């Protein structure tokens, strides 16, 4: 009798296991809420883009997204959570410049492989960095700021959203190209950093366009320059570093949609189709531009190729700036 019961229990367990191993089909996707991991604090450029995207996709498809901010370690904590998630498409995340392209060269022990642990779905948007000072700062423009920095090396304090972020590396690159020396003050996100630059605790701050644009428009921050090669459509009067004499200077952040590596290809294709269609729609494209981003909507193959080139680019920036692994 015990043997019979054991055999029945074993058969039941094996059946349940076999059912759980059947891959999700695109026709059945999604089954319930989609967890959407943002590996950075609320209010930054990555968070803003993520919430815009999920809202628009949800309205178009009826899919329900639950956005979860999982900040820490330059985006590593959030992506580590994604790497461990079930490969059924029910958990997605924003992968971006820092956690996918910079961190593999910046951290000695990184809890994921950006090339092997994920399926990269589409690049959503790009965002230039903006150098800003408080509105009543004696720093009036970038040439004056550079002259001030050269006159007293190390005196000026520059704030960033964290060590190893694209913002941090952009100013390290600026120091290298301009021959200046400042003191870095890293913050665990944007909120305190913005407060401190407006309060005069730090002299300048650099952040993504979406994160600082509301403060520029409100008049509480004075923009000095943008880090893209071309002027930003949201602030067309703001000069680029290239225009101001630092020829070829370019440091642009980007956001992309990413899933666990074993997510079925047909599910990835369904997500990619909805994502690219929404990103390229007039409604979201205009919203992204208005908020300081430039819509992209790349293919999966283009995302993979872009990531490969970005890893090499930022590795060289780290080496030139003399920034060693954490």
């Amino acid at each position: 009798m015990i043997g019979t019961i054991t055999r029945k229990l074993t058969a039941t367990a094996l059946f349940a296991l076999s059912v759980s191993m059947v891959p999700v089909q695109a026709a059945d996707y999604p089954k319930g809420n989609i967890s959407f991991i943002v590996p950075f604090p609320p209010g930054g450029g990555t968070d803003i883009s993520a919430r815009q995207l999920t809202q628009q996709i949800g309205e178009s498809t009826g899919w329900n997204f639950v956005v979860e901010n999982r900040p820490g370690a330059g985006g590593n904590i959030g992506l580590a959570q994604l790497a461990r998630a079930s490969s059924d498409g029910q958990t997605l995340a924003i992968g971006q410049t820092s956690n996918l392209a910079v961190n593999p060269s910046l951290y000695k022990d990184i809890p994921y492989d950006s090339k092997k642990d994920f399926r990269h779905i589409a690049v959503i948007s790009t965002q230039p960095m903006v150098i800003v000072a408080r509105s009543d700062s004696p720093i009036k423009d970038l040439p004056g700021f550079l002259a001030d920095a050269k006159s007293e090396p190390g005196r000026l304090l520059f704030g960033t959203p964290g060590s190893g972020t694209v913002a941090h590396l952009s100013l390290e690159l600026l120091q290298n190209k301009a021959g200046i020396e400042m003191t870095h003050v890293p913050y665990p996100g944007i909120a305190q950093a913005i407060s401190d630059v407006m309060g005069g605790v730090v002299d300048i701050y650099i952040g993504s366009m979406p994160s600082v644009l509301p403060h520029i428009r409100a008049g509480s921050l004075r923009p000095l320059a943008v880090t893209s090669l071309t002027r930003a459509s949201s602030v067309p009067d703001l000069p680029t570093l290239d225009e101001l004499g630092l020829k070829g200077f370019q440091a642009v952040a980007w956001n992309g949609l990413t899933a666990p590596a074993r997510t079925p290809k047909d599910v990835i294709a369904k997500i990619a189709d909805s994502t690219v269609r929404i990103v390229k729609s007039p409604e979201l494209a205009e919203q992204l531009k208005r908020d300081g981003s430039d819509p992209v909507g790349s293919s999966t193959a283009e995302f993979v190729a872009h990531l490969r080139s970005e890893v090499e680019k930022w590795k060289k920036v780290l080496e030139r700036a003399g920034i060693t692994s954490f």
Side-chain angles (χ1 to χ4, degrees), residues 60-80:
S60 173
T61 63
W63 301 352
N64 188 45
F65 293 90
V66 179
V67 177
E68 304 174 21
N69 292 90
R70 293 289 183 267
N76 287 351
I77 291 175
L79 279 198

Side-chain angles (χ1 to χ4, degrees), residues 139-150 180 224-225 239 241 244-245:
I139 300 173
K140 303 297 184 183
D141 52 31
L142 189 82
F145 156 64
L146 294 180
D148 196 8
K150 285 181 179 179
I180 61 175
L224 305 180
L241 289 169
L244 294 171

Side-chain angles (χ1 to χ4, degrees), residues 106-169:
L106 184 64
Y107 286 83
K108 293 178 181 178
D109 297 311
I110 190 168
Y112 54 83
D113 186 318
S114 65
K115 297 177 182 177
K116 297 179 180 179
D117 289 343
F118 309 111
R119 283 194 186 276
H120 302 300
I121 299 171
V123 176
I124 299 164
S125 60
T126 60
Q127 304 88 28
M129 298 289 112
V130 188
I131 302 172
V132 296
R134 70 181 190 273
S135 57
D136 60 349
S137 171
I139 300 173
K140 303 297 184 183
D141 52 31
L142 189 82
F145 156 64
L146 294 180
D148 196 8
K150 285 181 179 179
S151 67
E152 294 186 67
R155 180 181 65 81
L156 292 181
L157 305 180
F158 73 88
T160 71
S163 295
T165 59
V166 178
H168 173 206
L169 297 186

Side-chain angles (χ1 to χ4, degrees), residues 1-293:
M1 177 65 71
I2 293 176
T4 302
I5 293 174
T6 301
R7 285 193 296 274
K8 287 182 178 179
L9 290 172
T10 302
T12 301
L14 288 172
F15 175 76
L17 179 61
S18 67
V19 170
S20 68
M21 293 177 66
V22 174
V24 64
Q25 301 296 315
D28 301 326
Y29 179 84
K31 293 184 177 180
N33 294 338
I34 301 171
S35 296
F36 199 91
I37 300 169
V38 178
F40 295 92
T46 301
D47 181 68
I48 291 169
S49 296
R51 292 177 187 275
Q52 290 171 339
L53 178 70
T54 53
Q55 179 183 346
Q56 293 284 349
I57 294 179
E59 291 175 356
S60 173
T61 63
W63 301 352
N64 188 45
F65 293 90
V66 179
V67 177
E68 304 174 21
N69 292 90
R70 293 289 183 267
N76 287 351
I77 291 175
L79 279 198
Q81 181 178 336
L82 180 70
R84 296 190 301 267
S86 298
S87 300
D88 53 9
Q90 296 295 138
T91 304
L92 304 173
I94 287 287
Q96 46 87 276
T97 323
S98 292
N99 52 30
L100 288 179
V102 174
N103 290 0
S105 298
L106 184 64
Y107 286 83
K108 293 178 181 178
D109 297 311
I110 190 168
Y112 54 83
D113 186 318
S114 65
K115 297 177 182 177
K116 297 179 180 179
D117 289 343
F118 309 111
R119 283 194 186 276
H120 302 300
I121 299 171
V123 176
I124 299 164
S125 60
T126 60
Q127 304 88 28
M129 298 289 112
V130 188
I131 302 172
V132 296
R134 70 181 190 273
S135 57
D136 60 349
S137 171
I139 300 173
K140 303 297 184 183
D141 52 31
L142 189 82
F145 156 64
L146 294 180
D148 196 8
K150 285 181 179 179
S151 67
E152 294 186 67
R155 180 181 65 81
L156 292 181
L157 305 180
F158 73 88
T160 71
S163 295
T165 59
V166 178
H168 173 206
L169 297 186
S170 298
L171 276 188
E172 292 290 354
L173 185 60
L174 172 62
Q175 290 187 103
N176 181 271
K177 283 186 171 291
I180 61 175
E181 182 182 339
M182 299 176 287
T183 299
H184 179 212
V185 182
Y187 289 87
I190 184 175
Q192 187 60 47
I194 290 289
S195 176
D196 279 4
V197 72
M198 290 193 294
V201 177
V202 294
D203 299 288
I204 64 165
Y205 173 77
I206 183 168
S208 66
M209 180 67 80
S211 64
V212 299
L213 188 56
H215 304 283
I216 293 173
R217 287 173 172 163
S220 53
L221 289 178
R222 174 187 295 150
L224 305 180
V226 66
T227 63
S228 50
L229 277 176
T230 58
R231 294 193 178 197
S233 58
S234 53
V235 192
D237 294 334
L238 185 61
T240 68
L241 289 169
D242 178 81
E243 289 178 65
L244 294 171
L246 297 175
K247 295 301 181 183
F249 192 103
Q250 183 179 31
V252 177
W254 47 265
N255 297 321
L257 187 59
T258 300
R262 296 172 302 282
T263 305
K265 291 183 179 180
D266 60 340
V267 172
I268 292 294
K270 185 173 183 178
I271 299 170
D273 178 69
S274 296
T275 301
V276 172
R277 175 169 50 83
I278 292 301
V279 170
K280 292 187 175 182
S281 69
E283 294 79 12
L284 184 56
E286 285 305 313
Q287 185 178 10
L288 287 170
K289 290 178 181 178
R290 186 170 59 251
D291 292 341
S293 296

